[in-house]
Amino acid sequence: MAKDPVVTKVKARPPRGDGSATGIESPPDQQSRPTFDRKGYDRELARLQIELSKLQEWVRLQGWKLAVIFEGRDAAGKGGVIQRITQPLNPRFARVVALAAPTERERTQWYFQRYVAHLPAAGEIALFDRSWYNRAGVERVMGFCTEEEYREFLRSCPEFERMLIRSGITLIKYWFSVSDEEQERRFQDRIADPTKRWKLSPMDLESRARWVEYSKAKDEMFASTDTRQSPWWVVPSDDKRRARLNCIHHLLSMVPYADLTPEPIVLPPRQRDEGYVRPPMSDQTFVPQVY
């Protein structure tokens, strides 16, 4: 099981927040550390992914309910760590929740209603790639909700999360913290790479223009929702490799799992044909062998 997580824990009311007016948010020691070399990163990621497999098997057999929220600025690295977490997991019991904009009908519902349907049942892991915290971030900054709706969210959210925890759900919340300079570099990389350009939306570009407004919204969100029962865990993410490893390492430390890896399996002998003749291969339609 993983030990000694290296993740920054924030206080309930931090004196400075994500991306203050200076645009600097990663801790100084994190900014000055050398980049993780590829071989060392791959080796440690492989080790942690084995542990994730053990964690999932324990969650499944124990009937644990695990919900993990990933929030942060655009291009902060949320998707990358979610991808590395899900790689070794069984998709029948672990899923990513990434909801599109609400429909007209959903806009008339209780705000949390469309998220409740995606919460984990016993033995499941739900990874929220953004979550109900959209109301405190993009909806607040872009004016997609009223002042009354926003204030109601800040009042209701801590109690909503306490209800989830009382119901038996383990809720873990991560905020990926990226600096102004690194976000710009990643945006430019997406612009230059046709395979990544889809990741940039008009909303992403607008969020860049409203950096300070998002910083204020994040600070106010933390002040209301960074509670003792459901704290925020901040992951400095200017170095993607360290961020991924630190987040996975910390996630493993938050669940008291044990190694329930099944014993090695012995394959049974293959059934004999007993005279069965299969149809000719020419009767089948094959994918063209281009490569």
Side-chain angles (χ1 to χ4, degrees):
M1 193 177 294
K3 310 174 197 174
D4 305 326
V6 188
V7 179
T8 305
K9 178 66 181 74
V10 297
K11 300 298 182 183
R13 293 181 181 270
R16 291 182 63 185
D18 171 289
S20 63
T22 64
I24 299 174
E25 55 181 274
S26 296
D29 63 327
Q30 186 76 6
Q31 293 175 342
S32 61
R33 295 173 71 178
T35 303
F36 223 101
D37 72 272
R38 184 73 201 198
K39 287 185 178 180
Y41 165 75
D42 288 343
R43 182 170 55 251
E44 184 62 11
L45 178 61
R47 185 186 73 82
L48 293 176
Q49 287 183 330
I50 291 173
E51 294 300 316
L52 284 170
S53 297
K54 296 176 183 178
L55 178 145
Q56 183 182 39
E57 185 67 3
W58 184 88
V59 165
R60 187 179 69 83
L61 293 177
Q62 296 296 318
W64 202 266
K65 293 178 282 188
L66 179 59
V68 188
I69 287 175
F70 298 86
E71 291 284 354
R73 291 186 185 272
D74 298 310
K78 303 178 294 296
V81 74
I82 291 172
Q83 181 184 7
R84 272 67 182 183
I85 290 172
T86 56
Q87 277 176 345
L89 302 184
N90 184 337
R92 291 186 178 89
F93 306 105
R95 65 183 182 277
V96 177
V97 182
L99 302 186
T103 64
E104 288 298 324
R105 179 176 181 274
E106 287 173 332
R107 289 191 182 97
T108 68
Q109 295 175 344
W110 176 48
Y111 177 70
F112 297 98
Q113 187 169 334
R114 74 186 192 120
Y115 296 100
V116 169
H118 300 277
L119 291 170
E124 294 181 348
I125 301 172
L127 307 173
F128 286 84
D129 186 352
R130 296 204 181 280
S131 64
W132 45 86
Y133 282 100
N134 279 337
R135 173 136 296 177
V138 63
E139 291 190 20
R140 167 64 168 172
V141 174
M142 302 302 295
F144 295 154
C145 65
T146 65
E147 182 70 17
E148 181 181 354
E149 288 171 333
Y150 170 69
R151 294 297 168 190
E152 178 57 32
F153 171 81
L154 294 183
R155 287 191 295 268
S156 301
C157 186
E159 182 55 35
F160 171 68
E161 292 178 354
R162 282 192 284 268
M163 289 170 58
L164 299 184
I165 294 167
R166 287 197 300 269
S167 75
I169 293 175
T170 296
L171 179 63
I172 304 172
K173 304 186 301 190
Y174 290 112
W175 178 271
F176 281 72
S177 178
V178 66
S179 68
D180 180 4
E181 295 80 4
E182 180 60 19
Q183 186 194 53
E184 179 173 0
R185 189 194 68 76
R186 292 177 186 177
F187 275 11
Q188 294 292 353
D189 179 60
R190 291 179 179 184
I191 292 171
D193 186 344
T195 65
K196 296 181 180 179
R197 208 168 293 158
W198 63 269
K199 294 183 177 181
L200 274 179
S201 68
M203 201 67 64
D204 296 331
L205 301 180
E206 187 63 26
S207 72
R208 177 80 184 152
R210 302 193 186 198
W211 178 278
V212 176
E213 291 180 56
Y214 271 93
S215 297
K216 293 177 181 177
K218 179 261 184 179
D219 289 345
E220 190 165 2
M221 179 186 79
F222 267 45
S224 296
T225 64
D226 185 28
T227 63
R228 182 177 61 83
Q229 298 93 336
S230 181
W232 280 103
W233 296 93
V234 179
V235 184
S237 61
D238 274 12
D239 185 328
K240 284 185 178 182
R241 293 174 184 172
R242 289 188 187 278
R244 292 165 185 167
L245 297 180
N246 285 333
C247 183
I248 296 172
H249 194 284
H250 180 262
L251 176 61
L252 291 166
S253 76
M254 297 293 285
V255 179
Y257 72 97
D259 186 356
L260 301 181
T261 304
E263 293 296 320
I265 298 171
V266 178
L267 291 177
R270 177 181 175 276
Q271 182 184 23
R272 298 179 62 182
D273 290 344
E274 300 291 350
Y276 173 67
V277 178
R278 300 189 64 188
M281 299 282 281
S282 59
D283 289 353
Q284 303 177 41
T285 304
F286 288 88
V287 171
Q289 300 300 290
V290 178
Y291 302 100

